[in-house]
Amino acid sequence: MASGDDDDPIIEEIDVYLAKSLADKLYLFQYPVRPSNMTYDDVNHLSARIKPKQQKVELEMAMDTNSPNYCRSKGEQIALNVDGTTYEETNTYSAKIMDKQTFTSIQATTNTSRYAAAVFRKGELHVTPLSGILQMRPSFTYLDKADTKTREREAANEGGDSSQDEAEEDVKAITVRFARPESEQARQRRIQSYDFLQRKQAEEPWAHLHYHGVKDGHSEHERQYLFCQSVDASENSELVKTPKEYLAMLMPPIAEEKLVKPVGPSNVLSMAQLRTLPLGEQVKTLLKNVKVMPFANLMGLLASGTDSTAALRCIQQVALLVQGNWVVKSDVLYPKNTCSPHSGVPAEVLCRGRDFVMWRFTLERSVMRKEIASIIKLPPEDVKEFLEHVAVPRVNRGWEFLLPTDVEFVKKHTDIAHRQHMLWLGIQSKLEKVFNFSKEDFMPKNSPQPDPVHVTGEQRLKKAQDRAQGNKSSMQKDRDTRRSESSVQVKQEPVSDREDEPMDTSSSSSAINGSVNGYPSATSPAFDHTNGNTGSPANAPSVELKDFVKKTFKKHFVLTLNEFKRLFGLHIASMPSGHSIYPSISDHMLQDAILLCQCKQIMVPFPAQTTAATDEQKVFGLWETGEEFDKQRRLLYELFNKNYRIRRTMIQAKLTQELGDACKADIDRMLNECCISHAGMWYLKGTVPS
C-alpha cells in the first residue's frame, strides 16, 4: 500500500511575504445589492469621506440621467420633495433632478485579524492584513429630508397669518429641579443606549477624501505597496517559525482552569483578607467601616505583634482624636470629586460640615441636631448621617458621643493628644471663617463656675512681683527703643500676672469632663481662674520661638495674630512625636515674641461695623530686614495706620513724596508681599472683610 506522501506529492513551493505598508489603511469594500459583473469602476465618484475611528465611509456617485432605464419625471419629483421650489446652496440636488446617490458603509465584521488581501507575482505571494471590511449600501437620508420639508410646509399652512393677532403668552413660573446623582447602573444603561451611541458617533468629524479611479496613475502607485518592500527573511519574522512553534500556533495548549474564589458582598472584608494589606490600608479600612473606635480596640483587630508606634503613626493619617477616641477623617469618607449619595452636595462642603460636628464633640458630650443644621446649612439626611457616625440619640439630651472618653489613652500618649489638640485649633480657625461663629457662642452661659483654687494674698503678690520684675524692664526698654525709631504706633500690652487666653502647647496628663482632647478649657476645674493657667509661667520667648517668628514673617511679611496662631499651631502639630520644645505659651507671649523679632504692630483703624474678631484686628508687620526696601514697607504701614483700606494711587503718591520717583516694580512687589486686593481697594493681609 502506498504511503500518503506518494498519493499527494508537492507540486510547487511558493514563498509568502507579509506586506505592512498598508496594514492600517487597507479596506475591503463590498456591494451586496449589486451583481459582481456590474462594478462602479467607471462611475463618476463625486465625493468621498471617512470617520476613521468608526470605520464609516460615505461615497457620492453620479447617476446616468440619460439612461433609458432612468425615469426623469420621478427624479424631478424626488428633487422637488427634498429641496422645495427655492434655490439654496445647501440643496441636495442643485440641478432640480435626482442626479446622484449616496452609499453608506456598515461593518461586515469587527474582527479582521483572520482576513488579508493577497497578490501573486513571479512565484511570490504577498499578503497585507485588512484594516476593515465594509459593505456599501445605498443611503436614503434624502427621504428623511423630504419628510421634514413636508411637515414644515403643513405647519406653515395651518398657522397662516393668524399668529400675528395672537396675544403674547402669559409669563409662567418655572420650577427648577436638580437631578439626583446618577447611579453606576443608570450610567451604564445610558452609555449603552441608542441615543448615546448616536451622539458619540456624531461627535467624530468627517475626513474628506479625494477619489482616484482604478486606472489612475496614483492608484497604480498605491498598489505597489501591496508588495512586500523587503524580501529579507529577517524582516518577515512573523512568517518564519520553527516546526514546534508552528504546531503550537495550530494547536495551542489547553489553559488550566483557575479556581474562582466565591465573591462576598462589596462592603465585607474578612480578617484574613484584611491582614494581607499593608498596615496603613488595614487601619484605613477598619476606620472607614467603624467610623469611631478606641486605640485599644484597633490594636485588638490588627495582627498580633503589630508595633503600636507604627499603628499610631498610621492612624494619625486617617483619623482625628475626639475625647480620646479616634474618628475617621472627613476627606477619607468623602474623597475629592465625589458627592453626597443623599443630596448630591459636593464632597468639599460635606467635609466642612462633618468637621464642624466632630469639633463640637471635642467641646462637649452632647449636641443638638437643630443647632448643627442651622449653622452648617446642609440637607437633613446629610446631617443625620454625620451624627450617626459618631453619636447616638438620647431623650431630651440631643445626640451623645458614641463612646466614653478614653482617659487612659490621653494619659499614656500626651504628646499625641497635644498634637491633635493643635490640629483642632487649626480646624476651628478655618470653621470660624467659613460658618461665621465664635467658640464662645457654644460655651454654656448659665453653667455654675468651678470653685477657684484658693491662693493666699502673700503668695499671689510674691508670684506676680517675681514674674513682672523679670520682664518689665527689658520689655519696656525694647518698646521705648522701637517707638523712638519711627512714628508708627506700637500697641502697649500691660504686664500682668494674668495671661490672655493661654494657648497651651505643653503636654497635659489630665483628661476630665470639660476638657478638649485631655486639655483643660476655661470651664474646666483644672483651670486656675485666679492666676491663669498655672502650668504657663511667663518666661521670655525661647530661641526656637524667635526663630519661628523670624522665618514666618520673612515669608508672609504681614500677619494677624489669629493667622499667626494658626500657623504656629500647624508648626507644633507637624513636629515629631515626643519632641515638643515649646513651653506653655499664651497670646501675650506670642505678641511679645513678635515684637522682639524686628516686627511692629500696625494700628489699623477698623470700621465700627467690622465683624473681625479681636485677634483678627491685631495686625503685625515685618519692620526691619536689613534691606533698602524696608523704607518703602514702613511708608506703607504708615498709610495703613490712618486708613483701613487704600488705593494704589495713594501708595504711589506717598512713595513719590517721601522717596522721589516710585518704581512700578517696587510698588508691585510691596503690594504682593503685604496686601491683598478686593473690590478695587488694597487691604493688609488678613483684614479683608468676609
Side-chain angles (χ1 to χ4, degrees):
M1 186 175 180
S3 64
D5 292 341
D6 295 336
D7 294 341
D8 190 13
I10 297 175
I11 299 175
E12 185 180 0
E13 291 186 357
I14 300 174
D15 292 333
V16 180
Y17 296 92
L18 181 63
K20 302 179 182 178
S21 300
L22 299 176
D24 56 344
K25 304 173 186 176
L26 190 61
Y27 292 87
L28 174 63
F29 283 10
Q30 298 175 342
Y31 295 86
V33 297
R34 185 91 163 182
S36 60
N37 61 338
M38 297 178 62
T39 66
Y40 289 97
D41 294 345
D42 298 327
V43 176
N44 184 20
H45 288 63
L46 302 177
S47 66
R49 57 183 185 172
I50 184 174
K51 290 186 175 183
K53 293 182 180 178
Q54 301 175 33
Q55 292 193 354
K56 186 175 182 180
V57 177
E58 279 192 3
L59 299 175
E60 270 192 2
M61 299 185 189
M63 298 178 67
D64 185 7
T65 57
N66 298 320
S67 171
N69 300 321
Y70 182 82
C71 181
R72 193 172 186 86
S73 62
K74 195 66 176 177
E76 292 175 349
Q77 183 62 45
I78 291 175
L80 179 63
N81 293 341
V82 173
D83 297 328
T85 57
T86 60
Y87 176 78
E88 298 177 0
E89 293 183 359
T90 58
N91 284 355
T92 304
Y93 305 110
S94 58
K96 297 297 181 182
I97 189 171
M98 184 179 177
D99 56 355
K100 61 183 178 181
Q101 63 177 335
T102 303
F103 287 84
T104 303
S105 69
I106 60 172
Q107 285 183 290
T109 178
T110 56
N111 182 15
T112 59
S113 60
R114 299 169 54 195
Y115 299 93
V119 181
F120 185 76
R121 183 182 69 175
K122 297 179 181 180
E124 298 174 350
L125 185 66
H126 296 260
V127 180
T128 302
L130 288 176
S131 179
I133 301 177
L134 307 179
Q135 292 185 350
M136 306 300 297
R137 298 174 183 270
S139 173
F140 300 98
T141 54
Y142 62 90
L143 296 178
D144 298 333
K145 190 175 181 181
D147 291 342
T148 304
K149 286 281 186 180
T150 303
R151 286 194 294 268
E152 289 177 354
R153 285 195 294 268
E154 291 176 353
N157 293 333
E158 291 178 1
D161 298 331
S162 61
S163 60
Q164 298 179 358
D165 302 329
E166 293 177 1
E168 294 184 0
E169 294 184 0
D170 295 335
V171 178
K172 296 181 180 180
I174 299 176
T175 303
V176 180
R177 296 182 179 180
F178 295 95
R180 287 183 174 273
E182 189 178 33
S183 65
E184 184 63 27
Q185 292 180 348
R187 178 177 174 274
Q188 291 296 333
R189 288 196 298 269
R190 179 175 61 82
I191 291 176
Q192 296 173 6
S193 66
Y194 177 76
D195 291 340
F196 181 83
L197 294 176
Q198 288 293 99
R199 287 197 300 271
K200 292 295 290 184
Q201 290 179 0
E203 288 176 0
E204 184 181 358
W206 286 102
H208 293 274
L209 308 173
H210 184 72
Y211 176 81
H212 296 274
V214 177
K215 300 178 181 179
D216 188 89
H218 191 276
S219 299
E220 184 63 32
H221 174 73
E222 289 294 323
R223 272 195 291 273
Q224 297 302 314
Y225 288 110
L226 292 174
F227 300 100
C228 183
Q229 303 301 309
S230 175
V231 294
D232 187 4
S234 62
E235 298 291 334
N236 289 274
S237 59
E238 291 87 348
L239 301 179
V240 180
K241 302 291 183 183
T242 63
K244 187 175 182 180
E245 292 173 338
Y246 184 65
L247 182 62
M249 292 174 63
L250 293 177
M251 300 180 62
I254 301 175
E256 296 182 1
E257 295 184 1
K258 297 182 179 179
L259 296 176
V260 180
K261 297 180 179 179
V263 180
S266 59
N267 61 339
V268 175
L269 187 66
S270 68
M271 293 303 296
Q273 290 175 308
L274 179 69
R275 289 174 180 174
T276 61
L277 301 175
L279 180 59
E281 287 298 320
Q282 293 185 45
V283 174
K284 182 178 179 180
T285 303
L286 287 171
L287 280 164
K288 282 183 68 175
N289 282 274
V290 182
K291 306 298 188 298
V292 55
M293 66 190 315
F295 183 71
N297 290 13
L298 175 68
M299 292 301 296
L301 293 173
L302 298 176
S304 59
T306 303
D307 184 16
S308 61
T309 304
L312 281 171
R313 190 181 303 112
C314 294
I315 199 172
Q316 293 179 73
Q317 297 176 4
V318 296
L320 291 169
L321 194 66
V322 178
Q323 299 192 20
N325 300 282
W326 291 98
V327 181
V328 64
K329 288 183 177 179
S330 301
D331 54 5
V332 175
L333 286 182
Y334 306 107
K336 194 176 181 181
N337 298 326
T338 61
C339 59
S340 167
H342 307 294
S343 60
V345 175
E348 294 80 1
V349 181
L350 291 176
C351 289
R352 289 198 297 264
R354 187 174 180 273
D355 285 346
F356 177 80
V357 174
M358 294 164 58
W359 173 76
R360 284 297 311 275
F361 278 116
T362 65
L363 301 178
E364 49 193 327
R365 290 286 303 173
S366 301
V367 299
M368 302 301 293
R369 177 176 169 180
K370 289 184 178 180
E371 183 184 19
I372 296 289
S374 65
I375 293 177
I376 64 177
K377 294 179 175 59
L378 287 178
E381 298 86 354
D382 294 320
V383 178
K384 184 179 180 182
E385 183 179 78
F386 297 159
L387 292 170
E388 287 177 341
H389 287 171
V390 296
V392 290
R394 302 294 186 194
V395 179
N396 299 327
R397 289 165 53 192
W399 289 74
E400 185 180 7
F401 192 67
L402 192 61
L403 301 174
T405 303
D406 192 348
V407 179
E408 294 298 325
F409 179 85
V410 176
K411 288 182 178 180
K412 185 177 180 181
H413 303 281
T414 54
D415 53 341
I416 293 178
H418 163 65
R419 186 182 297 111
Q420 291 291 313
H421 173 67
M422 301 307 298
L423 283 175
W424 277 117
L425 288 178
I427 294 174
Q428 173 191 330
S429 177
K430 292 181 181 178
L431 294 175
E432 286 177 350
K433 292 182 179 179
V434 172
F435 297 118
N436 194 21
F437 70 89
S438 176
K439 179 180 177 181
E440 287 73 18
D441 297 340
F442 304 105
M443 292 299 180
K445 297 180 180 179
N446 299 322
S447 60
Q449 295 294 331
D451 296 332
V453 178
H454 294 285
V455 182
T456 63
E458 293 181 358
Q459 291 175 337
R460 187 163 59 244
L461 179 60
K462 186 177 185 303
K463 188 173 183 179
Q465 289 175 347
D466 292 342
R467 293 164 62 185
Q469 189 65 31
N471 295 302
K472 183 174 182 180
S473 57
S474 60
M475 291 172 60
Q476 189 64 38
K477 183 178 180 181
D478 291 338
R479 290 196 180 106
D480 292 342
T481 303
R482 289 196 298 269
R483 192 183 302 110
S484 62
E485 291 177 354
S486 173
S487 60
V488 177
Q489 302 176 26
V490 181
K491 185 175 179 181
Q492 298 270 350
E493 293 288 345
V495 179
S496 170
D497 61 329
R498 296 184 60 178
E499 300 293 338
D500 302 330
E501 297 180 353
M503 179 178 178
D504 195 354
T505 62
S506 64
S507 301
S508 174
S509 60
S510 62
I512 54 179
N513 291 335
S515 65
V516 181
N517 287 340
Y519 285 83
S521 63
T523 60
S524 171
F527 187 84
D528 188 346
H529 288 267
T530 305
N531 297 307
N533 192 345
T534 57
S536 303
N539 298 325
S542 64
V543 176
E544 292 81 3
L545 178 57
K546 288 183 179 180
D547 289 342
F548 174 76
V549 172
K550 291 176 182 178
K551 291 179 181 178
T552 303
F553 273 89
K554 283 184 179 180
K555 180 179 179 182
H556 298 278
F557 294 96
V558 173
L559 288 170
T560 63
L561 180 60
N562 184 65
E563 178 65 11
F564 181 79
K565 287 166 61 178
R566 186 186 71 84
L567 295 174
F568 184 61
L570 294 176
H571 173 66
I572 294 293
S574 65
M575 296 180 64
S577 176
H579 290 76
S580 179
I581 58 176
Y582 298 101
S584 178
I585 298 177
S586 66
D587 293 357
H588 188 92
M589 291 182 65
L590 286 179
Q591 295 178 67
D592 288 345
I594 294 172
L595 295 175
L596 289 173
C597 295
Q598 290 83 42
C599 301
K600 289 195 177 184
Q601 184 171 356
I602 306 167
M603 307 304 293
V604 179
F606 284 84
Q609 66 274 19
T610 182
T611 58
T614 303
D615 287 351
E616 292 176 339
Q617 296 186 36
K618 294 180 179 180
V619 186
F620 298 88
L622 183 60
W623 188 258
E624 185 176 354
T625 63
E627 299 178 358
E628 190 68 22
F629 199 69
D630 291 342
K631 297 178 182 179
Q632 287 90 328
R633 199 179 295 111
R634 293 172 187 172
L635 292 175
L636 178 70
Y637 296 161
E638 289 184 10
L639 286 174
F640 277 106
N641 273 328
K642 302 174 183 177
N643 303 278
Y644 170 54
R645 56 186 182 182
I646 58 178
R647 295 189 180 275
R648 184 187 178 98
T649 53
M650 296 174 60
I651 302 173
Q652 189 170 0
K654 180 70 173 177
L655 294 179
T656 303
Q657 178 184 352
E658 297 292 337
L659 303 176
D661 187 20
C663 177
K664 180 180 181 298
D666 290 345
I667 297 177
D668 291 341
R669 173 188 170 185
M670 182 169 54
L671 292 176
N672 184 53
E673 289 178 351
C674 305
C675 302
I676 188 169
S677 177
H678 176 69
M681 305 294 289
W682 287 91
Y683 300 78
L684 284 178
K685 290 181 180 179
T687 64
V688 178
S690 58

